[in-house]
Amino acid sequence: MSGMTEPVRVRGSVVVPDAELVWRFSRSSGPGGQHVNTSDSKVELRWDLAASEVLPPVWKERALERLASRLVDGVLVVRASEHRSQWRNREVAAARLASLLGEATAPPPKTRRATKPSRGMVERRLENKRHRASLKQGRGRIKPE
């Protein structure tokens, strides 16, 4: 069933082709009335990340590493069953796959370099502490002499 939903866009111009996506439909659990027993509204979207040639090698390596706990034999599985309509669940599953791949292929964040607070900043902080301490000191009870 290709061509029915938006293409799964990873990042930039990289798009997962419909031919690589495998859709499965089944009956969703939970309440839903008379229609629920006859409609296959639960959606399972599978994509073979390990075999795919869509992603650049660096992105693919990153994605395989970051999604390792979610992969089963190199295949990424996304499920959606929160809507009663199969169409909406398909859209949700495709959006989830796109966001997962977007996060997994993102470059690692820059490492934080430790810095020292400036002398002026330290002085301002200590001055503020002294000011607060004197304010609070003045709140105590007045001792009778």
Side-chain angles (χ1 to χ4, degrees):
M1 292 190 155
S2 61
M4 287 179 69
T5 56
E6 289 278 314
V8 177
R9 186 171 303 282
V10 181
R11 277 199 1 246
S13 61
V14 179
V15 175
V16 177
D18 283 345
E20 288 189 13
L21 299 176
V22 178
W23 296 91
R24 276 186 53 204
F25 308 101
S26 58
R27 292 189 184 141
S28 198
S29 63
Q34 296 168 322
H35 181 64
V36 76
N37 297 327
T38 58
S39 65
D40 293 341
S41 61
K42 182 179 179 182
V43 173
E44 187 177 276
L45 174 58
R46 297 168 159 268
W47 182 55
D48 195 346
L49 173 58
S52 178
E53 297 296 322
V54 174
L55 301 178
V58 179
W59 287 16
K60 185 174 177 178
E61 195 177 301
R62 234 184 256 156
L64 283 169
E65 187 181 307
R66 291 181 183 170
L67 296 172
S69 62
R70 288 194 62 139
L71 297 176
V72 179
D73 297 329
V75 177
L76 181 62
V77 180
V78 177
R79 291 179 185 85
S81 62
E82 49 270 2
H83 297 289
R84 286 179 61 180
S85 133
Q86 185 190 98
W87 180 254
R88 300 258 313 268
N89 283 332
R90 284 176 66 108
E91 288 176 342
V92 169
R96 258 188 222 152
L97 179 66
S99 76
L100 265 173
L101 291 173
E103 287 174 25
T105 57
K110 290 181 180 173
T111 53
R112 185 189 179 282
R113 284 203 337 239
T115 57
K116 263 172 50 175
S118 66
R119 189 137 127 242
M121 195 70 235
V122 171
E123 286 171 11
R124 278 194 296 277
R125 183 178 62 85
L126 293 175
E127 180 52 44
N128 191 30
K129 276 179 74 131
R130 278 191 289 274
H131 177 68
R132 285 267 150 227
S134 71
L135 265 178
K136 291 182 177 188
Q137 196 90 44
R139 290 183 191 159
R141 284 195 175 172
I142 302 168
K143 295 177 188 162
E145 291 183 34

